Amino acid sequence: MEKQAIKYKRTSSSMHHNTTRYFLTIIFLLAGMTAQAQIAMPTQGKSSTGMGRQPSLSRPNEYEIGGITISGNKYLDEDLLLAVTGLRVGEKLIFPNNDNIAKAIKNLWKQDLFSDVSIDVTKVIGDKVFLNIAIQERPRLSKKNFRGIKKSEAQELNDKINLVKNRVVTDATKQDAINRIKKYYKDKGYGNVSVRVEERFDTVKANSVMLTFDIDKGIKTRINQINISGNEVATDMRLKRTLRSTKEMARLSLYRADDVHVYPKDYDPKRDGFGLDLLHPTRALEALDPYFRPLSIMSSSKFNEQKFSDDKQSMIGYYNSLGYRDAAVLADTVYTVKNGNLNIDMKVGEGHRYYFGDITWRGNTKYSDEVLNRVLGITKGDVYNAELLNKRLGIQISGDGSEDVSSLYMDDGYLFFRIEPREVSIIGDTINFEMVISEGAQATNAKIIIAGNDRTNEHVIRRELRTLPGNKFSRSDLIRSQREIANLGFFDPEKTGINPTPHPENGTVDIEYTVSEKSSDQLQLSAGFGGGVRFYGNIGIMFNNFSLRNIFKPKLWDPLPIGDGQKLSINFQSNAYSYSAFNFAFTEPWLGGRKPNAFTVNFIYSKYGQPVSGIPQYLKVVGGGTSLSKRVQFPDDNFVLTYGINYNYYEVKNYPYLIDGYSNGTSNNVFFKTVLARYSINQPLYPTSGSNISFVFQFTPPWSALSGKDFSNATLSEKYKLIEYHKYRFTAEWYQKIVGNLVFKFATKYGFLGYYNPDIGFSPFERFQLGGDGLSQNSFFLGRDIIAQRGYEVYPNENATIFNKYTAEVRYPFSMSPTSTIYGLAFYECANSWSSFKEYNPFKLNRGAGLGIRLILPMFGLMGLDYGIGFDRYNPATGNTSLKDIGKFTFMLGFEPD
């Protein structure tokens, strides 16, 4: 047999394969004008095998593919390659004019996996032709490196450029990586970054290359100046404040104390508003006007094209809120200045100011026009505000919990409700609207599906839901259910989803709740230092999703019995010297499983003291209690009523630290405790809205009145054998989102301790002690409520029976991850305590302010550090004049001080 010298080939080097590729494509499209003329040359004489003369391929003739082999492949599957070519054994081909061969090569090149492709005719037997597909695979990535950047940046880029080991390396692959690198640095403010790629063959691994990305970040390009023109109604300063992510470099912004949204026509920006350049403070101060006050110091800013586009829409939205519905950014230019930073020129067109005209309703049968107008809250003559209109209609979420037209319908089952505001006419500066309503039918909840709960039993989630099968659909029930799931603390609130699936054909809706489990158990580790107990340590474990019924079923442990939402805590404290304490508590949140009645039992033990000169001195406390909590429906279903009974036994032996000289004896404290609380916080770890309010009434029976004895001449042991008192605590916390995740918190706390019998007076226990970090030794063994105040040491007043405390905080999160919630805060506090009503002065408060940070880890709970400055500790008479004299660090582990 004679071997025909027939080859169909396309070749490309790794550096210039594209050019060759296109060139060869043209050659094959010529259909044999040159290459195939050479291929068709007949072979004369006998073959080396002695089989005689083979059929000539010089003239067109039909042949059958007798076999196909593939050579050169290392990573790719032969069957897959053969399928890509489209060639198959038994297929009829006409040689030499065969378009199928050219098509097969073209299909292989399309995969962008090869640097060389050819198809050879290896032999011809009769009317059968045998082909070999010879390929050379492109080199694959063996290693990548980054040069010119930090190690941390290289680690981040590793995840972003999508270049994994053994991936085929092409020019497109490298260009994509370069684009991703540039975008990464552009988002960080490096607008002039350059990237160069070095490609080297790996001498260790065959057909592999190593890529090195040489990166020059350059300098950060910041926004030097934003110039706005065309504005008459709003000042430059006010418009710049609407650009939330596009800010000028550090400048001190000043504005008038009577700053309003819309300025009169005679407004003079030079007179009524300007920015102080920190680089030229003298020049700025010369122009300072007493009517101005500082607003903020804007941080240095980088330029982001997408955020700038969003900010332009924000500026237009601001104009729309003032009634300027035709406002637009007519032109904007971003250009580089001499220092390498950017200037932005913006030209705005404000248009005319519009007002709401007549508002009519069409399609409403459930509610009258009067009811809908009341909910809408917009009347004829009001300044046109598209955003406000959309929020009042429910087209846009308001976020403040206010009622809107859509929620009015959807809370009554109208899931298919739709509303469209139509501008029916514009007369002068007045816009008349028609609200077109499609009410639809009321929807009924059908299937309620829960997904993602890998550890928590389904009934724990289902019992918290307000959406029940068979009930009418309600949007507010959905929102409330989501909040209740978040407040369980078992799931990541950021990943809790609600997916309603409506079925208009039968008027039902399926609701799926998706959750993502997170660790909710806590290993409590804390430490403190107090003069009486010296250094002490605390270790404990809190299971927030415990399962008592599975405690004897080891197969269901993970690694402990979990899933029923019960709480179990065990805690031990000691300083290994003179103090030890043990606490145990268990809570079943749904006693009986039918109603949210929480049942709690607890046990406490503590002992403090040490022998002095061989004489024992100690205070020992043993006690326990039980309580039952239930939800109440009035004033609303956010209220919880708790009532319980507790007993504490005190044994005092030569103990010198109690007031009134009570140092020996035993005391019994049987008290009842009632708590009325309202909890509406949206998420427990970092609340952004809602409140937490509680009123606590704690009291003992009036033992002295019941006994009928005269205690005017009784000993301390007789007076305090049965402790009697009545005690009140009020605590309220409110959270409000300012902007983004910036949150304002305001809290107030009050306390009062009273007595029944003036001959006995106040109890030596249960008093208040203010100041410090809440870790004072007295919080453990004096039976007192320790009220922390940052920036102050523990108040010397040990007889306090009244206290007031107010706290204002601004919080901002650095991380909202379920594995670590981190946020910073700035606080202002004022508080004081008094021994009696005669001394009480609610306006005489000790003030303090400072900064702090909180870190919440799933297994360790809260860790925090505050630095507070006690303003009223400043006293030249005592020498407290320096920062170290009036400042104080507060460190916390495991819990937030009261």
Side-chain angles (χ1 to χ4, degrees):
M1 182 186 73
E2 293 181 351
K3 184 174 180 180
Q4 305 298 311
I6 301 174
K7 177 176 287 190
Y8 301 85
K9 181 176 182 179
R10 296 180 68 181
T11 306
S12 172
S13 70
S14 61
M15 300 302 295
H16 56 275
H17 69 274
N18 286 332
T19 304
T20 308
R21 178 177 174 181
Y22 300 139
F23 178 71
L24 290 176
T25 300
I26 295 173
I27 291 177
F28 276 102
L29 291 177
L30 294 177
M33 293 295 292
T34 303
Q36 291 187 17
Q38 297 174 0
I39 293 168
M41 292 297 294
T43 303
Q44 305 294 333
K46 294 184 178 181
S47 69
S48 58
T49 59
M51 295 181 64
R53 184 183 181 91
Q54 296 298 314
S56 172
L57 298 180
S58 61
R59 295 185 303 274
N61 196 11
E62 185 178 68
Y63 292 88
E64 178 184 339
I65 299 178
I68 303 174
T69 58
I70 297 177
S71 60
N73 57 312
K74 297 181 180 179
Y75 296 95
L76 302 174
D77 182 73
E78 287 190 6
D79 293 335
L80 179 61
L81 290 174
L82 191 58
V84 170
T85 64
L87 300 176
R88 66 183 186 278
V89 175
E91 181 181 355
K92 302 291 186 178
L93 296 177
I94 296 178
F95 283 93
N97 299 324
N98 46 85
D99 294 336
N100 288 349
I101 297 294
K103 184 178 179 181
I105 295 177
K106 185 176 181 181
N107 289 341
L108 289 172
W109 274 107
K110 282 183 179 179
Q111 310 308 310
D112 208 19
L113 298 174
F114 312 105
S115 58
D116 188 16
V117 177
S118 64
I119 298 180
D120 305 330
V121 176
T122 58
K123 59 184 176 180
V124 178
I125 302 178
D127 61 348
K128 291 186 178 181
V129 62
F130 293 83
L131 306 177
N132 177 66
I133 303 173
I135 60 172
Q136 182 177 338
E137 295 180 1
R138 289 189 184 279
R140 293 177 177 261
L141 181 67
S142 63
K143 187 178 181 181
K144 62 178 179 294
N145 298 298
F146 299 95
R147 185 187 302 151
I149 61 174
K150 297 178 182 178
K151 184 177 180 181
S152 59
E153 294 173 333
Q155 291 173 344
E156 289 186 35
L157 286 174
N158 264 325
D159 300 327
K160 290 184 178 294
I161 64 174
N162 198 28
L163 272 180
V164 295
K165 192 174 182 180
N166 287 328
R167 181 176 177 179
V168 174
V169 177
T170 66
D171 287 346
T173 303
K174 291 183 286 186
Q175 188 58 50
D176 180 67
I178 291 173
N179 293 339
R180 288 173 182 263
I181 293 172
K182 287 185 175 181
K183 183 181 183 303
Y184 170 79
Y185 282 106
K186 190 173 183 180
D187 290 343
K188 288 181 172 291
Y190 295 92
N192 298 317
V193 63
S194 64
V195 183
R196 185 170 58 87
V197 184
E198 294 180 5
E199 180 178 328
R200 293 181 294 118
F201 283 101
D202 191 338
T203 58
V204 177
K205 192 174 182 180
N207 199 33
S208 297
V209 294
M210 298 182 292
L211 297 180
T212 300
F213 294 91
D214 195 345
I215 302 171
D216 182 5
K217 297 186 295 185
I219 61 173
K220 277 194 174 182
T221 53
R222 302 190 182 277
I223 300 172
N224 179 66
Q225 193 172 11
I226 300 175
N227 305 309
I228 303 176
S229 62
N231 54 313
E232 296 180 0
V233 175
T235 65
D236 289 2
M237 186 63 62
R238 187 62 188 87
L239 292 179
K240 289 177 183 179
R241 284 161 56 190
T242 67
L243 306 176
R244 298 181 179 179
S245 302
T246 308
K247 301 290 185 182
E248 294 174 327
M249 292 174 60
R251 296 176 194 280
L252 180 63
S253 300
L254 299 177
Y255 69 101
R256 288 183 61 91
D258 58 350
D259 183 25
V260 292
H261 291 308
V262 181
Y263 291 87
K265 293 182 178 179
D266 61 349
Y267 174 80
D268 183 356
K270 294 183 179 179
R271 182 192 68 221
D272 295 323
F274 56 92
L276 284 182
D277 191 341
L278 294 180
L279 299 177
H280 306 93
T282 305
R283 183 191 312 167
L285 291 174
E286 289 174 353
L288 191 61
D289 186 302
Y291 291 100
F292 289 79
R293 60 183 175 89
L295 172 65
S296 65
I297 297 179
M298 297 187 293
S299 60
S300 299
S301 177
K302 57 192 177 186
F303 177 77
N304 183 290
E305 189 172 351
Q306 180 58 49
K307 290 181 179 180
F308 177 52
S309 178
D310 296 339
D311 283 344
K312 287 188 288 185
Q313 294 303 315
S314 176
M315 180 184 289
I316 299 307
Y318 169 70
Y319 267 114
N320 292 161
S321 70
L322 303 180
Y324 294 86
R325 68 185 290 275
D326 299 330
V329 177
L330 302 178
D332 62 86
T333 306
V334 181
Y335 56 94
T336 305
V337 293
K338 290 183 179 180
N339 60 4
N341 292 320
L342 303 176
N343 276 6
I344 300 176
D345 292 344
M346 302 177 66
K347 182 179 180 180
V348 300
E350 294 177 332
H352 299 288
R353 195 180 194 191
Y354 290 86
Y355 299 86
F356 285 107
D358 295 326
I359 298 176
T360 58
W361 302 85
R362 182 160 63 89
N364 54 308
T365 60
K366 173 69 176 178
Y367 299 103
S368 65
D369 291 2
E370 290 75 14
V371 171
L372 296 177
N373 281 326
R374 178 183 57 80
V375 175
L376 184 64
I378 296 175
T379 58
K380 185 176 182 179
D382 289 349
V383 174
Y384 172 80
N385 187 332
E387 182 180 1
L388 177 64
L389 177 64
N390 289 332
K391 287 182 177 180
R392 296 287 176 83
L393 293 176
I395 298 173
Q396 182 177 339
I397 298 175
S398 64
D400 57 4
S402 59
E403 189 179 24
D404 57 69
V405 175
S406 293
S407 64
L408 181 68
Y409 274 92
M410 288 192 176
D411 286 346
D412 197 29
Y414 290 89
L415 172 63
F416 310 109
F417 168 82
R418 297 291 182 271
I419 186 168
E420 179 187 357
R422 295 179 180 175
E423 297 181 359
V424 293
S425 63
I426 301 177
I427 303 174
D429 59 358
T430 301
I431 306 175
N432 298 314
F433 280 90
E434 180 182 57
M435 307 300 175
V436 181
I437 291 177
S438 173
E439 293 179 336
Q442 287 179 307
T444 303
N445 297 334
K447 296 179 182 178
I448 308 298
I449 305 165
I450 299 172
N453 52 315
D454 302 325
R455 306 174 67 201
T456 304
N457 294 321
E458 185 172 305
H459 73 272
V460 175
I461 306 172
R462 194 169 291 278
R463 67 193 183 190
E464 300 293 338
L465 302 180
R466 302 304 175 96
T467 53
L468 303 178
N471 287 1
K472 285 191 299 184
F473 173 82
S474 171
R475 187 171 71 173
S476 62
D477 285 347
L478 281 180
I479 297 171
R480 180 64 183 274
S481 298
Q482 186 177 34
R483 195 186 83 193
E484 296 296 340
I485 292 174
N487 286 334
L488 285 173
F490 309 151
F491 311 104
D492 180 2
E494 300 295 325
K495 296 181 180 179
T496 300
I498 303 177
N499 306 309
T501 304
H503 302 288
E505 66 277 5
N506 58 12
T508 62
V509 57
D510 296 335
I511 303 173
E512 181 185 39
Y513 294 90
T514 57
V515 296
S516 177
E517 299 264 10
K518 70 173 185 177
S519 176
S520 59
D521 300 328
Q522 294 182 3
L523 175 64
Q524 296 179 330
L525 298 172
S526 63
F529 186 85
V533 298
R534 301 183 182 179
F535 182 82
Y536 76 93
N538 170 46
I539 184 170
I541 186 73
M542 178 181 291
F543 302 103
N544 290 307
N545 195 6
F546 192 70
S547 177
L548 187 63
R549 67 189 176 116
N550 292 331
I551 198 168
F552 297 112
K553 301 176 182 179
K555 293 182 179 179
L556 301 178
W557 291 22
D558 186 24
L560 294 169
I562 60 171
D564 281 342
Q566 299 164 342
K567 291 180 173 60
L568 174 67
S569 65
I570 302 173
N571 186 275
F572 177 74
Q573 305 173 40
S574 178
N575 71 340
Y577 178 64
S578 59
Y579 169 73
S580 61
F582 175 79
N583 298 282
F584 167 85
F586 173 79
T587 299
E588 166 54 68
W590 283 66
L591 184 64
R594 298 178 61 86
K595 294 183 178 181
N597 298 328
F599 176 74
T600 301
V601 293
N602 67 83
F603 171 79
I604 62 170
Y605 167 84
S606 69
K607 184 177 180 180
Y608 171 74
Q610 58 188 11
V612 177
S613 301
I615 301 175
Q617 291 184 356
Y618 63 85
L619 168 65
K620 182 168 67 174
V621 182
V622 180
T626 182
S627 65
L628 184 67
S629 301
K630 61 182 298 183
R631 293 178 185 171
V632 294
Q633 301 298 316
F634 182 82
D636 61 39
D637 59 1
N638 289 306
F639 281 85
V640 175
L641 178 65
T642 303
Y643 42 88
I645 183 172
N646 296 265
Y647 170 73
N648 289 340
Y649 171 78
Y650 299 95
E651 182 179 343
V652 183
K653 187 72 172 179
N654 300 317
Y655 194 69
Y657 301 113
L658 294 177
I659 63 173
D660 299 332
Y662 182 48
S663 59
N664 283 280
T666 58
S667 300
N668 299 274
N669 184 9
V670 180
F671 63 92
F672 300 92
K673 190 173 185 178
T674 301
V675 181
L676 180 63
R678 186 182 188 276
Y679 186 89
S680 61
I681 287 175
N682 63 336
Q683 51 189 21
L685 296 184
Y686 187 77
T688 58
S689 65
S691 62
N692 183 14
I693 304 171
S694 67
F695 175 75
V696 181
F697 175 40
Q698 182 177 322
F699 65 96
T700 67
W703 301 113
S704 60
L706 295 175
S707 68
K709 294 181 180 180
D710 181 8
F711 285 87
S712 58
N713 297 315
T715 64
L716 293 178
S717 296
E718 292 174 333
K719 289 181 178 180
Y720 300 144
K721 184 174 183 179
L722 288 172
I723 302 296
E724 62 176 28
Y725 60 89
H726 50 97
K727 184 177 181 180
Y728 312 85
R729 288 284 304 269
F730 176 78
T731 302
E733 299 174 344
W734 292 273
Y735 298 87
Q736 179 62 50
K737 184 179 292 187
I738 302 173
V739 60
N741 286 321
L742 186 67
V743 174
F744 174 73
K745 171 191 174 183
F746 179 75
T748 180
K749 299 179 181 180
Y750 304 95
F752 171 74
L753 177 69
Y755 57 80
Y756 299 114
N757 191 331
D759 292 332
I760 296 177
F762 293 106
S763 162
F765 310 102
E766 302 297 337
R767 302 201 185 192
F768 306 111
Q769 188 155 335
L770 197 64
D773 53 12
L775 299 178
S776 164
Q777 70 273 17
N778 293 339
S779 63
F780 303 123
F781 53 81
L782 288 189
R784 294 178 180 169
D785 292 356
I786 300 297
I787 315 301
Q789 185 178 11
R790 292 166 284 191
Y792 287 84
E793 300 291 348
V794 176
Y795 284 27
N797 181 12
E798 297 182 348
N799 299 316
T801 60
I802 306 172
F803 84 91
N804 291 2
K805 179 183 176 181
Y806 306 92
T807 302
E809 286 184 0
V810 176
R811 300 177 169 187
Y812 186 80
F814 305 122
S815 170
M816 297 288 286
S817 167
T819 58
S820 60
T821 299
I822 307 172
Y823 62 89
L825 58 89
F827 65 87
Y828 179 81
E829 282 185 341
C830 49
N832 207 348
S833 62
W834 301 268
S835 299
S836 65
F837 264 122
K838 292 181 180 180
E839 301 176 359
Y840 180 65
N841 183 353
F843 302 105
K844 186 178 181 181
L845 302 170
N846 296 314
R847 301 156 300 169
L851 302 173
I853 190 168
R854 299 289 183 272
L855 171 64
I856 304 174
L857 299 175
M859 275 302 295
F860 295 95
L862 174 72
M863 292 187 288
L865 177 67
D866 292 332
Y867 181 74
I869 299 174
F871 299 143
D872 293 288
R873 295 176 66 188
Y874 178 82
N875 189 347
T878 60
N880 289 341
T881 57
S882 65
L883 191 61
K884 66 178 182 179
D885 296 326
I886 63 175
K888 184 178 183 296
F889 281 101
T890 299
F891 182 67
M892 60 205 73
L893 275 173
F895 65 95
E896 184 90 38
D898 199 352

